[in-house]
Amino acid sequence: MWWIQKTTLENRLKLIEYLAVETANRVIQSNGMMEVDPFFNRMLEERARVLQLEKEPELFITDLNGEAIFSRPRHMGPGRMGPKSQSKIDIPSGVFEKDDTVQKLDIDGIGIMYAVKSPIMENGNQIGWVVLMQSKDELSDVNQEYRLLIVLLVGLGLLGWGVIYLLSKKILKPILEVARAATQIKEGNYDLNLNTESNEQEIYELVSSFTEMTNRLLQLETLRAELLAGVTHDLKTPVTSISGLVQAVRDGVVSGNERDEFLDITLKEVNRLQTMISDLLDFNSLAAGAFSIRPEPCNMNELVQNIVREWAVTQARPIDYHVKLPDGVVYRTIDPLRLQQIMINLLNNASQSLDGEGLITIVLTDNSIDVKDTGAGIPEREQPYIFERFFRGKKKKLKVRGLGLGLPFSKMLAKALDGDLLLKESSTSGSTFSILFERETH
């Protein structure tokens, strides 16, 4: 609005300059008297309409001394000009003393006015002045422009509101679908079909992440059901075996060597049952933080070799393994007992995947320990879930009894040692697990 006022004022002052020059050209001298043509008044009215002024500017025609001999709107009429007529405004004397064509005046009782003058020439000689005066408020009055500006702003507002409404409807639709899907998930319904096609990156990521979360929840729900059945079966089987064997011995159904064999089988089942219960207790203790880490400076070369050797000699059948050590000795502050637990879990898994044939390779570096095997590998669809508690692959369920806590327990231990446990790679030619450690500063 300030810019409109400023521009309008400048443009109207230029037009008034043209009007002053045109008026000066229409004033002629006849018999010593100044006069204008009969269409002079109509010309002034038309020019005022062009300027979009509600009130015409004050017009003065003066002699060389600045004495007004004619003024308008109050004038004596068209044609020959008579004596000085009375005007509401007197021309300040400073108007004629300055050479400026356009002058800004502060007139008492009226305020700021602009005066525009132009000389009246006759045969190369100046015979008088044309002075046009208009108040600043009248020159800056731009009601029409303000109305256009208001219409423009209202139009832009309505258009913006419409665009925002359409965009919000478009954006809210997938969000509402996600909200309804969340309600269904809360009620236990994981069978959802969300539309993941969206041009907005954020909406696409939201729907995709929610879909992935739903699939993961469905997988975990399936896993929970399988866990309940699996744990019940794995705990019930040794209990049933123990009960039947003890009952047979007590009733005297078996005796002698057969009786000793039944007792040996009973002890094995008891040990298996104790192992599963111990796994549950250890995992719960670790998850609750009720365990201790006792780090101490260790020679990693010797520690890794000792752990692998002690594990190998406890196996029921010979294991083909190879330990690769770096050229220099690696020293690290670590809890050797917790590291042993992690490595034994990984070595047991590697041995189970070999199924009696193959090689296990243990590679030590400055910041990691890799356990590689040449077994059948882990199916790609099962790889994202191997560190989930109680998850067990389909092949492993048929071969080995357990609760599926080995890898989750090992990963938690690795994090407790300020490291991590990752599946580095897995294919039909074998798998590689990596125990990663933070780089130590000396």
Side-chain angles (χ1 to χ4, degrees):
M1 293 176 67
W2 172 84
W3 179 82
I4 289 176
Q5 282 187 335
K6 182 176 182 296
T7 305
T8 302
L9 177 62
E10 293 174 353
N11 291 338
R12 284 180 175 173
L13 285 174
K14 290 180 180 179
L15 290 175
I16 289 179
E17 283 188 65
Y18 299 146
L19 179 58
V21 173
E22 184 178 10
T23 302
N25 293 333
R26 284 178 175 269
V27 175
I28 59 176
Q29 187 177 22
S30 177
N31 300 324
M33 300 292 294
M34 294 184 187
E35 60 182 18
V36 295
D37 60 66
F39 301 103
F40 178 73
N41 291 331
R42 182 182 299 174
M43 180 271 294
L44 292 179
E45 293 173 357
E46 290 177 354
R47 298 298 184 270
R49 284 196 296 271
V50 170
L51 292 173
Q52 296 181 353
L53 297 174
E54 294 183 0
K55 181 181 177 182
E56 297 178 17
E58 295 283 344
L59 169 65
F60 298 91
I61 298 179
T62 73
D63 56 19
L64 289 174
N65 298 322
E67 291 292 329
I69 59 177
F70 175 80
S71 67
R72 180 184 169 84
R74 295 187 180 183
H75 58 82
M76 297 181 60
R80 190 177 298 275
M81 299 180 186
K84 172 184 175 182
S85 58
Q86 298 298 321
S87 174
K88 297 182 295 181
I89 303 174
D90 294 329
I91 305 175
S93 59
V95 172
F96 303 102
E97 295 175 357
K98 298 178 180 180
D99 296 334
D100 298 336
T101 302
V102 179
Q103 299 177 29
K104 184 178 180 181
L105 309 172
D106 189 358
I107 300 177
D108 295 337
I110 297 178
I112 303 298
M113 294 195 72
Y114 285 89
V116 180
K117 65 180 182 180
S118 178
I120 302 173
M121 307 298 292
E122 177 69 24
N123 296 325
N125 298 318
Q126 182 176 353
I127 60 175
W129 291 97
V130 172
V131 180
L132 292 171
M133 296 182 66
Q134 189 83 355
S135 70
K136 179 182 178 181
D137 293 338
E138 292 172 352
L139 286 172
S140 303
D141 186 16
V142 284
N143 290 333
Q144 181 67 26
E145 283 79 1
Y146 287 160
R147 285 194 292 270
L148 291 175
L149 180 62
I150 292 172
V151 170
L152 176 64
L153 292 176
V154 171
L156 287 174
L158 292 175
L159 178 62
W161 179 86
V163 171
I164 291 173
Y165 176 78
L166 294 176
L167 287 178
S168 62
K169 291 286 288 183
K170 183 179 179 181
I171 293 174
L172 281 176
K173 183 178 179 181
I175 295 178
L176 291 175
E177 290 181 358
V178 171
R180 286 192 290 268
T183 303
Q184 295 182 41
I185 290 176
K186 183 178 69 174
E187 295 174 354
N189 179 18
Y190 299 99
D191 187 14
L192 304 176
N193 186 18
L194 293 175
N195 183 15
T196 57
E197 295 181 359
S198 177
N199 294 328
E200 290 77 19
Q201 181 67 21
E202 293 79 5
I203 299 298
Y204 172 79
E205 290 178 356
L206 172 65
V207 177
S208 299
S209 299
F210 193 87
T211 302
E212 183 179 348
M213 181 194 71
T214 303
N215 294 334
R216 194 170 185 82
L217 286 174
L218 180 60
Q219 177 71 26
L220 292 176
E221 182 66 19
T222 304
L223 185 61
R224 185 187 65 84
E226 293 179 355
L227 166 67
L228 183 60
V231 171
T232 302
H233 176 268
D234 288 337
L235 293 178
K236 182 180 179 181
T237 300
V239 171
T240 303
S241 300
I242 293 169
S243 177
L245 292 169
V246 171
Q247 186 72 29
V249 173
R250 191 191 69 172
D251 293 343
V253 175
V254 293
S255 60
N257 293 334
E258 192 175 11
R259 176 176 175 273
D260 293 336
E261 183 182 354
F262 270 41
L263 290 176
D264 290 339
I265 296 174
T266 301
L267 287 175
K268 289 181 180 179
E269 294 296 329
V270 169
N271 289 333
R272 184 178 293 117
L273 188 59
Q274 287 177 335
T275 300
M276 287 189 288
I277 294 174
S278 178
D279 287 344
L280 279 174
L281 292 175
D282 289 343
F283 186 85
N284 288 334
S285 297
L286 185 59
F291 70 101
S292 60
I293 297 292
R294 296 183 176 87
E296 59 183 71
C298 296
N299 182 328
M300 296 297 291
N301 299 50
E302 294 181 357
L303 179 60
V304 170
Q305 281 184 313
N306 292 336
I307 291 173
V308 176
R309 188 183 304 111
E310 290 174 7
W311 169 80
V313 298
T314 60
Q315 300 304 300
R317 56 191 176 190
I319 300 294
D320 188 8
Y321 70 90
H322 177 58
V323 179
K324 292 184 179 180
L325 301 175
D327 295 336
V329 178
V330 177
Y331 291 96
R332 176 171 292 277
T333 302
I334 199 169
D335 187 332
L337 177 61
R338 302 302 181 185
L339 179 61
Q340 183 181 21
Q341 289 179 282
I342 299 173
M343 291 191 63
I344 288 177
N345 277 327
L346 295 180
L347 292 169
N348 284 335
N349 288 341
S351 175
Q352 293 163 8
S353 67
L354 293 179
D355 198 16
E357 297 180 358
L359 173 68
I360 298 176
T361 305
I362 299 89
V363 181
L364 172 67
T365 65
D366 290 342
N367 299 296
S368 67
I369 301 174
D370 289 352
V371 178
K372 303 180 181 180
D373 65 67
T374 57
I378 302 171
E380 186 175 353
R381 64 179 179 277
E382 295 181 359
Q383 292 179 15
Y385 309 106
I386 59 173
F387 292 108
E388 296 289 346
R389 61 192 68 181
F390 305 113
F391 176 81
R392 301 179 68 207
K394 290 185 178 180
K395 293 182 179 179
K396 194 169 184 179
K397 290 179 184 178
L398 302 176
K399 293 182 179 180
V400 184
R401 288 183 182 179
L403 298 177
L405 293 176
L407 286 176
F409 181 69
S410 298
K411 189 176 184 66
M412 293 177 69
L413 279 177
K415 288 184 175 295
L417 296 174
D418 295 328
D420 202 357
L421 174 62
L422 303 175
L423 174 61
K424 193 172 183 179
E425 59 181 351
S426 184
S427 64
T428 54
S429 59
S431 302
T432 301
F433 284 87
S434 291
I435 307 171
L436 303 178
F437 303 107
E438 289 186 352
R439 187 179 297 276
E440 288 192 341
T441 57
H442 300 282

